[in-house]
Amino acid sequence: MMSIDVPKGGDIEILFEDNHLLGITKPVNVPTQEDASGDPDLLSLLKQDLKERYNKPGNVYLGLVHRLDRPVGGAMIFAKTSKAASRLSETVRGRHFRKIYAAVVHGRLPARKGTLKHTLLKDSKTNTVTAVPKGTPGGKDAVLDYEVIGETDRYSLVHIELHTGRSHQIRVQMKEAGCPLFGDQKYGAKMNKPGQQIALWSVIAAFPHPVTKEEVVLQSLPAREFPWAEWPSQIYEEAFALNQRQ
């Protein structure tokens, strides 16, 4: 696998690349796009890499198709042409873009598998999201399927498939289910210690190629460190084998 150097050390793993798409593993704590922090952002880093790697004059186009929260890492796709970006956006809107995550949560969910449905409302001023009664002005439906694939005395390892792409969706819905994410400082401050890394990872992004229509599957697993390492690699490999989930 190729990789792209990141300022302050580390690199960005390239999972897939052709003339239309660039699939990568997003590093944790790197903003997806430029924000108020002024820190190096993923979109700018990738554009600069493409410019240098292909010796391109002028500005480089790279379309943002979906987002991951700053503290979250994992599989992510970008479009290298406006046509690919437009078609992928249609795929997302039509819900033909599969987004599968791994999460470590505190405690145990009420059932080993199920569907969570909430109405979520975002406060842009505070960048926080809350669950509100259905019909609340500005509220948006949020739906995900989950399955518990591992447990310890304190934590659960959860396979999550998103059916909607709301801001902070998994974090808020797991909190509402009584099981905030490990390390989530925003929605689980009472149960997490400052400085802990949120345990949420984009494991699979799968979609029809915008030009060839063949299925593209990006897959990434979190590093073998706490709390992910509480469970053997085999659990991840079996639970996130895409052909078992179709």
Side-chain angles (χ1 to χ4, degrees):
M1 292 274 186
M2 287 181 62
S3 64
I4 301 165
D5 290 338
V6 178
K8 301 178 182 178
D11 54 34
I12 301 171
E13 181 184 22
I14 297 176
L15 301 174
F16 178 92
E17 185 176 11
D18 64 8
N19 290 334
H20 312 280
L21 304 173
L22 177 62
I24 56 95
T25 295
K26 177 189 176 296
V28 298
N29 299 323
V30 175
T32 299
Q33 60 190 129
E34 188 176 358
D35 63 14
S37 72
D39 294 338
D41 66 280
L42 192 58
L43 193 59
S44 297
L45 291 169
L46 295 176
K47 283 183 179 181
Q48 185 61 32
D49 171 72
L50 290 172
K51 184 178 178 67
E52 293 174 0
R53 208 152 36 98
Y54 295 106
N55 196 26
K56 286 179 174 279
N59 293 328
V60 172
Y61 179 86
L62 196 63
L64 187 60
V65 178
H66 63 124
R67 292 170 174 79
L68 293 177
D69 292 347
R70 178 171 180 148
V72 179
M76 194 171 180
I77 191 70
F78 292 83
K80 292 170 71 174
T81 68
S82 57
K83 180 183 287 187
S86 177
R87 290 179 177 176
L88 275 181
S89 294
E90 289 177 14
T91 299
V92 172
R93 284 193 295 272
R95 300 189 181 181
H96 302 300
F97 189 111
R98 300 191 72 192
K99 293 176 283 187
I100 298 174
Y101 292 75
V104 178
V105 302
H106 289 273
R108 298 196 173 183
L109 286 150
R112 288 199 66 83
K113 63 189 303 185
T115 300
L116 298 180
K117 297 180 179 180
H118 295 90
T119 299
L120 302 183
L121 181 66
K122 182 174 182 178
D123 184 336
S124 297
K125 291 181 180 178
T126 60
N127 192 31
T128 56
V129 176
T130 52
V132 295
K134 191 170 181 64
T136 299
K140 295 182 178 180
D141 292 339
V143 182
L144 63 78
D145 291 332
Y146 77 85
E147 182 176 356
V148 178
I149 57 176
E151 291 177 327
T152 67
D153 291 342
R154 298 177 61 191
Y155 307 114
S156 298
L157 176 62
V158 190
H159 174 292
I160 295 169
E161 180 157 9
L162 281 182
H163 296 295
T164 52
R166 308 307 180 199
S167 183
H168 300 178
Q169 179 177 339
I170 294 173
R171 299 162 68 179
V172 176
Q173 290 196 275
M174 286 292 142
K175 175 195 173 187
E176 290 297 312
C179 297
L181 268 65
F182 175 90
D184 192 344
Q185 309 299 322
K186 193 180 288 276
Y187 300 105
K190 292 181 180 178
M191 304 186 75
N192 293 307
K193 298 176 182 177
Q196 286 181 326
Q197 180 64 46
I198 192 170
L200 180 60
W201 195 266
S202 170
V203 176
I204 293 171
F207 48 89
H209 192 284
V211 177
T212 68
K213 307 306 179 185
E214 294 179 0
E215 185 179 43
V216 177
V217 180
L218 307 182
Q219 191 157 13
S220 173
L221 289 173
R224 299 295 297 160
E225 55 191 34
F226 186 82
W228 302 110
E230 292 291 282
W231 297 275
S233 299
Q234 184 180 356
I235 284 183
Y236 293 90
E237 292 163 4
E238 292 175 355
F240 294 100
L242 190 69
N243 59 8
Q244 297 178 14
R245 295 279 162 183
Q246 293 180 327

